[in-house]
Amino acid sequence: MELETLLQYKWGIMIPEFIILGVATILSLIDLFMPSEKDRRLLGWFAFAGVMVALISLVGLLPVEVTSILEDTFRLDSFAKAFKFILLAGAALVILLAMDYQPAEGIRYRGEFYYLFLTALLGAMMMASSGDLITLFVGLELLSISSYILVGLRKKHVRSNESAMKYVINGGISTAITLFGMSYVFGLTGTTNLKDIAGRLSAIIDMGQQYLLALALLMLFVGLSFKLASAPFHMWAPDVYQGAPTPVTAFLSVVSKTAGFVIVLRLMIYMFSGTPAEGTNSSSMLLSMQDYIAFLAGATMIIGNTIALKQRNVKRMLAYSSIAHAGYLLVGFVTMSMFIVDSIWFYLVAYLLMNLGAFAILQVMTDKSDSEDISQFAGLYHRSPLVAVAMGIFILSLAGIPGTAGFIGKVNIFLGAFVTEPAHYVLAAVMIATTVISYVYYFGILTQMFFRPAVEQTPMKLPLGVMIVVIFCAIGTIVFGIIPSIAYDFLNQFEHFGDFFS
Amino acid sequence: MNEMYFLSLLVFSPLLGIIALAFVPKTQEQMIKLIGFLATLPSLFFALLAFVQYLSGYDISSLQEKRSWIHFGKFTFLNKNTFTVDYELGIDGFALVMIVLTTILATFAAVASIHIKKEWKGYFMLFLLLEIGMLGVFAAENLVLFFIFFEITLIPMFFLIGKWGYFERERAAYSYLIYNGIGSAVLLLVILILLARTGTSNIALLKEIFNDPAAQAQMMAPISEDLRYGLLIALLVAFGVKLPIVPLHSWMLRVHVQAPPSIVMLHSGVLLKIGAFGLIRFGLGLFPEEFRNLATFIAILGVVNLLYGAFLAFIQNDFKMVLAYSSISHMGIVLIGLGALNEAGIQGAIFQVVSHGLISALLFFLVGVLYERVNTTMIDKLGGLAKAMPLTAGFLLAGAMASLGLPGMSGFVSEFTAFLGLFAVNPVIAAIGALGIIMTAVYLLRAVLTVTYGNANRDYAGVMDIRFIEALPVWLLVALIVLIGVYPNILAEPLQATLETIMNGLGG
């Protein structure tokens, strides 16, 4: 490639990514040359500011038409824009949490904390924008590898090490499966460009090749389910969530999961929605594989919600709850209705708010004692009524009670399930039944907070960063629950992602 | 009155009290109780105002409010109103009657809340939130809004039972949560299927669509005949949990026994009635044809409820349990009236809803008064109460008489009309059901007479009779019960229009 062509690209559409990359690089350099005894809090604010600037630059990019650069490997369409908002907002909040993270034994590698979050974020953003299997995979690996290190950041902590190990091994296996699936696609089409792939796949009418493609689809989905923390690759979540530093857990459950859904939507819809199956009988490979994915979604919801019932460790409980939510989100995906992207986007926003809020409070509650037992929450209402009310809001939203963002998110997913013909009654029934089951463990936390006497009487103080996160998330959860049209109006400017295929 | 905001004001005025309470220090017991009580008054005032105006011929439909709220997916290829859920409030005669009932009982329950012993601030905040939910349920014009208000009652109730209840309160709260959670879940499915398939959740619009084949052809996806039956049965289950219909009732017994009496007043007086309200408004309103085919089944369910409740009430030792089973039994009469599916039957059902709301609130108010003084509600530990607390004993007797259907009191009118309806359609089932009426007299008299005139098993020295501030709501409740008993038109008139609409839906 000549320099001239290189310069002709509209690099402007990559500004948010460049900002994140630049900040991450500068941070790593500063961290290297900074005396080790110096407080690294400032670096956190710098990272936070970087993410905020990237967010603002993304707002500036909103009116930009669909553009793709670097031979169609990087594309900025409305789908990428919409989901990058979630990724950036999630990362910003997580960095705030990381600044106030004070584990019992102290943390030596605070600088790494911030720039690894940024590189992971960069990977996720590349995934949102990629138009090619190669960039997509590189983004995925950048996210994964940064996450592996982050999980094991508490170097002297046994559980942290254990979970990092488990995360790497599981991640490795799932990546291999994903790649294997991609290799089938590459073998059948001879290209890695998504647009070309879609074009060539739609011409395949040979039953034998379609069989291979169906296999590839399933392998891709199974491999990617690692990032979603959904069945069959959900087993890592409880151990890793429990052992990882809390801000990292929050990151995995929100940003990493969002990235997972981004890539699933992008790959599956792009490559397989126009591919014929069963000769030429069925118009879409994706629709013909619907039942398999629906089964996985159902299994995810059931596994997540029923095993969560038995947990006394709140972090572990939230891990299973996170699996369950991945299942709900998959219902939004698998019904393939006209609400598919809208409902997943809204639910991810709601999930970001309620889950990060819950993790923020959990982090402060468990920092000091290093115990995550549910009894830590006993009598929180008497110690700090406002914190208890905020936690109550997050829990109610996770349970999907009206008046919160979680409810509207669920309603939209259900609408998607019922609007298609034939409607997905079974899947919807599983979702609603498991939601009722989830009341039991969610309300268990409420019972501890409001009904039980307090063990400790001292009021709980929230550090500044955590306080910002809690207030932001609580307000957001309520506002999106009562006036969801704010979010939907924002979403409407993308016109249902009509430029997805262009 | 300002018609634009009237209903919103009516529904959300308890919010003022919640905000005011937030600024009161939590140790100011008297202040908090006063604010809690005062905050129920604006709604009561608005409700009575609307009721009086309506009786003098005011057109209630002009109170309708509509503001755009949520729009799921603005698709260009769809009508711009498809998948919109607006903030729509509006009432008819039936809803108005229910709102009046709710506001009256809420005010009286606030009086009964003087017996609450701890954390008054949290209690009254949740209490007022509960009132908003109950009022909203009756004022909602679309199903999604109805559901949201319906769920708003769920959370405060969970806390009110679990924190301020008696010994096994947490278990009762969980039982309440899970049963009603399942009920709400089923209801949510019905609502969202309707919304997804028709594109609207407005009740009036849905009725129109169901009556108009041309409109059905334009739906997102068809609603088949089987699906309609499925939806109606799902509604029956969802509201059957709330009502409750045997065998979905076990949670309700726990709540009646474990929750504080002031909350049971609202629970038994209003919340259970939401089940009946929903069945009539949605089950009967949206699926009249299918409802007709299930009518006999519903009548049988009603008789089962009536007899099951009555027989079990007979062997209970806890007075609260007697009342709980009595509630089940009396809700059977609602089902019997609905099962008859003629004008008398439906009118009887609605009458029973209102009448039992007043009577059970009265009885549970007295239970609260009683427990406060003698610390038990066990029938074998009470007895001879008439000597120590003559007034209370008298009221108890009056409540029991109303409940067993003594002519001249509201219970008689409603039971009589409901059975009149069923005898016209299905005399055999009605005759079996009539046994329940006799049983009612037996178990109520057994319980109340033992408590008031039986052998005194304990020393009542120092036990005070009902105080003036407590007696006032009781007098008023008794007066209302008698008023409906002697002049049923006070209810029949406002309900006339609603009944006509229902009968039209049924095809005359």
Side-chain angles (χ1 to χ4, degrees):
Chain A
M1 190 183 297
E2 288 171 28
L3 191 64
E4 216 166 303
T5 25
L6 211 55
L7 287 176
Q8 269 169 6
Y9 287 133
K10 292 178 190 148
W11 292 104
I13 62 167
M14 277 183 91
I15 284 183
E17 282 81 1
F18 282 131
I19 293 172
I20 302 291
L21 179 64
V23 173
T25 319
I26 296 171
L27 271 182
S28 61
L29 288 177
I30 298 180
D31 189 44
L32 188 62
F33 293 113
M34 209 176 185
S36 57
E37 67 280 359
K38 267 276 184 51
D39 186 16
R40 289 207 164 20
R41 248 186 115 70
L42 213 58
L43 297 188
W45 285 111
F46 184 50
F48 178 72
V51 177
M52 292 315 279
V53 173
L55 203 58
I56 293 164
S57 71
L58 185 59
V59 175
L61 286 178
L62 274 181
V64 175
E65 294 277 300
V66 188
T67 325
S68 62
I69 58 173
L70 295 171
E71 311 268 335
D72 270 351
T73 53
F74 186 95
R75 53 186 278 126
L76 187 75
D77 50 11
S78 45
F79 177 82
K81 286 178 213 161
F83 281 92
K84 278 182 194 172
F85 270 102
I86 306 183
L87 296 171
L88 283 168
L93 294 173
V94 167
I95 289 173
L96 284 178
L97 289 187
M99 272 189 278
D100 290 320
Y101 182 60
Q102 301 290 358
E105 84 276 4
I107 190 156
R108 278 191 57 201
Y109 307 96
R110 207 166 263 287
E112 280 87 338
F113 224 170
Y114 306 127
Y115 60 75
L116 284 174
F117 274 134
L118 291 183
T119 49
L121 173 66
L122 184 64
M125 289 177 62
M126 291 300 292
M127 282 156 74
S129 263
S130 60
D132 192 287
L133 286 180
I134 302 284
T135 40
L136 201 141
F137 187 73
V138 171
L140 181 66
E141 280 305 278
L142 185 55
L143 170 64
S144 299
I145 294 171
S146 310
S147 312
Y148 300 151
I149 309 173
L150 280 169
V151 169
L153 212 61
R154 286 174 80 175
K155 207 173 167 184
K156 296 279 158 54
H157 193 258
V158 181
R159 278 200 174 280
S160 180
N161 280 305
E162 179 197 331
S163 58
M165 196 65 192
K166 282 184 177 161
Y167 197 39
V168 172
I169 293 172
N170 273 298
I173 298 170
S174 74
T175 309
I177 296 176
T178 313
L179 262 186
F180 200 30
M182 284 183 183
S183 73
Y184 275 50
V185 176
F186 179 73
L188 285 168
T189 58
T191 171
T192 55
N193 184 294
L194 288 182
K195 203 189 263 178
D196 295 344
I197 291 178
R200 289 183 201 173
L201 286 185
S202 61
I204 292 182
I205 46 167
D206 178 66
M207 289 278 272
Q209 293 191 348
Q210 280 173 357
Y211 174 72
L212 284 182
L213 260 186
L215 216 58
L217 184 150
L218 275 187
M219 268 194 285
L220 274 174
F221 185 81
V222 166
L224 292 175
S225 68
F226 172 73
K227 276 272 163 279
L228 314 179
S230 71
F233 258 114
H234 62 279
M235 308 82 77
W236 61 274
D239 288 338
V240 173
Y241 276 35
Q242 191 185 351
T246 312
V248 178
T249 312
F251 183 85
L252 290 182
S253 75
V254 173
V255 182
S256 188
K257 198 188 286 284
T258 305
F261 276 97
V262 166
I263 194 172
V264 164
L265 285 172
R266 180 74 97 185
L267 274 186
M268 295 290 162
I269 299 180
Y270 217 106
M271 299 201 302
F272 297 111
S273 64
T275 308
E278 299 160 34
T280 48
N281 293 340
S282 161
S283 63
S284 168
M285 172 75 74
L286 197 52
L287 279 178
S288 75
M289 302 302 280
Q290 209 174 19
D291 288 348
Y292 299 97
I293 303 177
F295 173 77
L296 290 179
T300 309
M301 291 187 283
I302 293 172
I303 292 170
N305 279 317
T306 48
I307 305 187
L309 289 176
K310 292 194 294 186
Q311 306 304 322
R312 277 195 66 83
N313 182 310
V314 179
K315 232 168 148 184
R316 234 180 140 75
M317 183 192 289
L318 284 178
Y320 282 107
S321 132
S322 154
I323 295 174
H325 284 273
Y328 304 151
L329 280 156
L330 276 181
V331 174
F333 169 69
V334 81
T335 52
M336 322 259 168
S337 68
M338 53 202 187
F339 292 114
I340 178 167
V341 184
D342 289 24
S343 61
I344 290 182
W345 185 86
F346 188 90
Y347 202 90
L348 281 170
V349 171
Y351 184 66
L352 177 144
L353 292 168
M354 59 205 186
N355 212 39
L356 279 186
F359 271 115
I361 291 174
L362 180 69
Q363 174 181 328
V364 181
M365 306 248 3
T366 56
D367 251 8
K368 291 283 172 302
S369 56
D370 213 28
S371 152
E372 286 134 11
D373 193 81
I374 192 168
S375 60
Q376 288 284 315
F377 280 91
L380 183 63
Y381 176 69
H382 300 286
R383 282 172 67 193
S384 329
L386 287 178
V387 178
V389 168
M391 188 70 183
I393 291 173
F394 301 136
I395 295 289
L396 289 179
S397 183
L398 284 167
I401 301 292
T404 60
F407 171 70
I408 304 287
K410 283 211 174 83
V411 165
N412 204 350
I413 289 177
F414 278 123
L415 275 186
F418 294 136
V419 82
T420 53
E421 181 67 28
H424 300 265
Y425 293 121
V426 177
L427 200 58
V430 171
M431 177 161 162
I432 199 90
T434 49
T435 302
V436 175
I437 292 175
S438 76
Y439 285 0
V440 176
Y441 61 87
Y442 285 133
F443 277 73
I445 300 180
L446 293 184
T447 312
Q448 292 287 339
M449 288 197 300
F450 291 97
F451 296 170
R452 297 274 184 271
V455 196
E456 217 182 323
Q457 292 302 330
T458 47
M460 208 175 87
K461 274 214 191 94
L462 293 185
L464 179 65
V466 175
M467 183 117 75
I468 297 173
V469 175
V470 169
I471 292 174
F472 178 82
C473 290
I475 292 177
T477 307
I478 293 291
V479 166
F480 283 157
I482 294 176
I483 339 175
S485 46
I486 297 177
Y488 282 108
D489 286 343
F490 174 78
L491 206 54
N492 280 333
Q493 64 177 316
F494 300 123
E495 290 162 358
H496 303 285
F497 309 99
D499 53 6
F500 193 78
F501 293 103
S502 64
Chain B
M1 56 183 132
N2 190 340
E3 297 177 346
M4 286 284 291
Y5 297 104
F6 184 79
L7 284 178
S8 291
L9 271 177
L10 197 165
V11 172
F12 288 103
S13 62
L15 201 59
L16 281 178
I18 298 181
I19 295 168
L21 281 172
F23 294 103
V24 181
K26 60 181 172 192
T27 46
Q28 297 269 344
E29 182 185 347
Q30 295 305 324
M31 183 74 170
I32 290 169
K33 285 180 175 172
L34 187 65
I35 292 177
F37 169 71
L38 289 177
T40 62
L41 293 182
S43 302
L44 178 64
F45 170 74
F46 288 131
L48 290 177
L49 181 67
F51 191 69
V52 171
Q53 295 275 337
Y54 183 55
L55 284 185
S56 57
Y58 175 76
D59 179 18
I60 208 168
S61 59
S62 64
L63 289 178
Q64 210 168 33
E65 286 180 40
K66 187 182 171 104
R67 260 163 284 255
S68 64
W69 184 36
I70 317 177
H71 193 170
F72 291 106
K74 280 188 184 141
F75 296 98
T76 40
F77 57 91
L78 291 175
N79 182 324
K80 71 176 170 43
N81 287 325
T82 311
F83 299 127
T84 50
V85 177
D86 291 329
Y87 171 79
E88 300 164 289
L89 297 181
I91 47 175
D92 60 358
F94 184 22
L96 179 60
V97 167
M98 294 310 293
I99 286 176
V100 172
L101 176 73
T102 309
T103 50
I104 291 176
L105 293 189
T107 305
F108 291 168
V111 176
S113 302
I114 51 173
H115 300 312
I116 294 298
K117 295 284 186 296
K118 58 173 187 184
E119 296 183 39
W120 311 278
K121 188 169 162 178
Y123 173 86
F124 274 105
M125 283 175 136
L126 290 168
F127 180 92
L128 294 171
L129 190 60
L130 179 64
E131 190 185 355
I132 294 177
M134 294 188 301
L135 291 172
V137 160
F138 299 122
E141 278 271 89
N142 75 46
L143 291 163
V144 175
L145 207 57
F146 173 88
F147 181 79
I148 289 177
F149 283 117
F150 191 69
E151 288 282 285
I152 287 182
T153 64
L154 185 75
I155 304 304
M157 271 303 280
F158 173 79
F159 284 108
L160 287 167
I161 300 167
K163 199 165 173 85
W164 287 274
Y166 295 109
F167 187 65
E168 282 198 353
R169 53 183 180 266
E170 281 189 20
R171 217 174 137 211
Y174 262 96
S175 174
Y176 174 83
L177 180 75
I178 296 305
Y179 268 93
N180 285 278
I182 293 170
S184 314
V186 175
L187 182 62
L188 182 65
L189 287 187
V190 174
I191 291 174
L192 292 180
I193 290 173
L194 287 173
L195 174 60
R197 300 243 143 180
T198 62
T200 181
S201 67
N202 182 293
I203 297 161
L205 264 178
L206 279 173
K207 276 187 200 171
E208 248 174 63
I209 290 175
F210 280 131
N211 283 328
D212 179 8
Q216 284 182 47
Q218 287 181 348
M219 275 191 308
M220 304 304 305
I223 294 189
S224 64
E225 189 63 14
D226 287 346
L227 182 56
R228 281 193 195 204
Y229 275 107
L231 290 177
L232 178 61
I233 290 170
L235 277 179
L236 203 59
V237 172
F239 291 122
V241 171
K242 204 83 199 167
L243 197 59
I245 298 177
V246 178
L248 303 170
H249 64 283
S250 69
W251 64 276
M252 171 270 201
L253 301 172
R254 287 212 185 95
V255 171
H256 268 63
V257 176
Q258 298 299 337
S262 49
I263 296 306
V264 182
M265 281 175 70
L266 287 181
H267 177 251
S268 172
V270 183
L271 286 170
L272 299 188
K273 275 62 188 179
I274 294 176
F277 179 80
L279 266 186
I280 296 172
R281 193 116 194 250
F282 309 136
L284 202 49
L286 292 178
F287 307 103
E289 280 310 307
E290 292 75 16
F291 202 97
R292 183 184 290 288
N293 293 334
L294 289 181
T296 315
F297 175 63
I298 290 171
I300 292 173
L301 281 181
V303 170
V304 171
N305 249 36
L306 179 62
L307 293 177
Y308 175 87
F311 275 105
L312 280 163
F314 185 65
I315 53 164
Q316 299 305 319
N317 186 29
D318 188 341
F319 191 57
K320 286 190 286 190
M321 267 314 224
V322 175
L323 294 181
Y325 277 110
S326 155
S327 278
I328 294 178
S329 176
H330 280 98
M331 288 301 99
I333 293 175
V334 174
L335 289 174
I336 286 176
L338 289 183
L341 215 63
N342 47 24
E343 192 162 351
I346 297 170
Q347 190 176 27
I350 299 180
F351 263 62
Q352 176 71 353
V353 165
V354 178
S355 146
H356 183 256
L358 294 169
I359 295 170
S360 66
L362 168 67
L363 288 170
F364 269 99
F365 191 100
L366 293 171
V367 165
V369 170
L370 205 61
Y371 188 86
E372 185 60 24
R373 285 160 178 75
V374 294
N375 256 321
T376 181
T377 52
M378 290 298 163
I379 293 174
D380 58 1
K381 293 208 177 114
L382 293 163
L385 210 62
K387 283 207 189 76
M389 306 170 69
L391 205 52
T392 315
F395 283 137
L396 264 181
L397 214 53
M401 291 301 156
S403 189
L404 63 82
L406 189 75
M409 294 175 117
S410 65
F412 171 73
V413 185
S414 52
E415 288 176 19
F416 182 74
T417 353
F419 270 100
L420 197 66
L422 192 62
F423 266 113
V425 189
N426 204 330
V428 180
I429 299 178
I432 301 172
L435 283 177
I437 304 272
I438 303 167
M439 281 304 297
T440 311
V442 175
Y443 73 76
L444 271 171
L445 289 177
R446 176 193 81 105
V448 172
L449 288 181
T450 320
V451 171
T452 51
Y453 294 108
N455 293 327
N457 293 332
R458 57 187 288 167
D459 184 15
Y460 287 113
V463 172
M464 298 243 302
D465 202 353
I466 190 164
R467 280 184 286 166
F468 173 71
I469 187 163
E470 294 167 324
L472 198 62
V474 177
W475 276 119
L476 288 172
L477 279 172
V478 172
L480 278 174
I481 292 168
V482 174
L483 176 66
I484 296 174
V486 277
Y487 185 66
N489 265 355
I490 186 115
L491 269 187
E493 263 177 49
L495 292 176
Q496 198 51 44
T498 310
L499 268 178
E500 274 167 22
T501 325
I502 295 175
M503 294 318 290
N504 281 339
L506 285 167

